[in-house]
Amino acid sequence: MPEIVWDSKLYDKQHHFVSDYGADVLQWLAPRPGEDILDVGCGTGQLAAQMAEIGAEVFGIDASTDMIATAKASHPNIGFEVVDATKLPYKNLFDAIFSNATFHWIEDQPALIEGLYNALKPKGRLVAEFGGKGNVKSITDAISVAAKNLGLSAKLINDFWYFPSISTYTTLLEDRGFEVEQAWLFDRPTKLTGEDGMLKWINQFATHAFKNLTSDEAEAIKSLAIEILKPKFFNKGEWTADYRRLRIKAWKR
Ligand code: BEZ
């Protein structure tokens, strides 16, 4: 799975759509005052802060020290900690677990799901949204085609992210004992900021794909991929990415 370096300031400036869209996921969670809520992959803490405003007792975790440092500085009244989501140390502590745009980065899904289940109190709920089957397929296809046309396929890392189907993911959850109430796979075309939005997106989210290439080779692939994408995804000075989300709500019974 990808290694990625998060720059929290750049993330909030250039890629703030991640938490902007996350506000919609919060509606499935419907946090209540006094509830203990774990935010897995909290980033800079913007959604944790929205839950805290409602009166929930939120605790945010993220694998990135930079994200957690920014979250702590921005929201000093909320607890945040650097924790690996595949090694959650909590037992029967939370009424609910929330996660936005995180699970697709995680390779060891059984370890993640085990930790989520254990962290919830009985009758606790999990609400998570992440990339679903087919997410950003036009972008990954364009990168692969560009690498092929340049004779660089062998050096490109094609194993991009974990984007499961509804049946794959609900089966994983049910196998661990969750009862899945809702699962929704839907297209969510996502506007990227600026004329160089696609290049910035690739540089933020897909750097791992290029790690075996020289910088000249990587730049050549990115330029060609952007040319391939432009006719369909660049319109009136704005880029759109073909995001497809998987949103789930499940219970620990
Ligand atoms: C996503 O949120 O869907 C996503 C983010 C980065 C890379 C791939 C997908």
Side-chain angles (χ1 to χ4, degrees):
M1 262 305 126
E3 291 151 32
I4 184 158
V5 177
W6 296 108
D7 174 337
S8 60
K9 306 281 179 307
L10 177 67
Y11 194 77
D12 274 352
K13 184 164 169 267
Q14 180 72 27
H15 309 291
H16 54 81
F17 62 81
V18 177
S19 45
D20 295 350
Y21 279 113
D24 190 47
V25 193
L26 274 182
Q27 292 186 7
W28 275 35
L29 184 73
R32 292 186 289 270
E35 282 192 315
D36 290 309
I37 299 181
L38 178 66
D39 182 353
V40 175
C42 62
T44 56
Q46 293 184 14
L47 295 168
Q50 289 183 30
M51 292 186 260
E53 240 168 63
I54 292 166
E57 299 292 327
V58 190
F59 190 68
I61 60 159
D62 202 285
S64 158
T65 47
D66 189 55
M67 290 288 194
I68 290 295
T70 300
K72 281 182 172 169
S74 312
H75 312 289
N77 298 327
I78 300 176
F80 293 104
E81 208 176 337
V82 177
V83 176
D84 176 343
T86 64
K87 297 189 177 77
L88 297 179
Y90 316 112
K91 297 274 173 289
N92 295 325
L93 275 188
F94 296 98
D95 298 296
I97 297 178
F98 174 80
S99 183
N100 179 51
T102 296
F103 288 6
H104 47 243
W105 295 106
I106 296 173
E107 183 166 16
D108 190 348
Q109 289 288 328
L112 166 68
I113 291 170
E114 179 70 23
L116 297 171
Y117 192 85
N118 291 335
L120 281 172
K121 297 175 188 170
K123 300 191 180 159
R125 64 198 186 280
L126 165 69
V127 169
E129 183 175 303
F130 48 102
K133 189 170 181 182
N135 193 35
V136 294
K137 187 171 182 314
S138 301
I139 302 177
T140 52
D141 283 353
I143 293 172
S144 298
V145 168
K148 187 163 180 246
N149 290 354
L150 294 165
L152 293 168
S153 286
K155 290 171 84 179
L156 184 77
I157 296 175
N158 272 312
D159 154 26
F160 287 96
W161 303 278
Y162 179 70
F163 297 143
S165 65
I166 287 183
S167 61
T168 298
Y169 212 73
T170 55
T171 301
L172 277 181
L173 290 170
E174 286 167 357
D175 283 350
R176 180 55 191 93
F178 277 102
E179 188 177 298
V180 179
E181 180 187 302
Q182 294 184 76
W184 183 29
L185 182 69
F186 61 101
D187 287 324
R188 195 203 67 199
T190 297
K191 297 261 183 268
L192 306 178
T193 310
E195 293 220 355
D196 56 353
M198 184 57 74
L199 179 62
K200 284 194 168 139
W201 188 94
I202 293 172
N203 283 339
Q204 173 66 51
F205 294 112
T207 40
H208 63 281
F210 304 97
K211 81 174 186 200
N212 296 333
L213 292 142
T214 66
S215 65
D216 283 352
E217 289 169 339
E219 293 316 310
I221 294 174
K222 289 179 208 172
S223 301
L224 184 51
I226 286 167
E227 245 179 71
I228 293 168
L229 289 163
K230 204 160 189 173
K232 191 158 170 213
F233 294 98
F234 186 69
N235 192 19
K236 296 191 182 135
E238 227 176 20
W239 282 97
T240 303
D242 58 335
Y243 273 50
R244 181 178 285 173
R245 320 311 288 162
L246 178 56
R247 188 181 294 181
I248 52 118
K249 180 174 186 182
W251 295 86
K252 175 174 177 173
R253 295 296 186 197

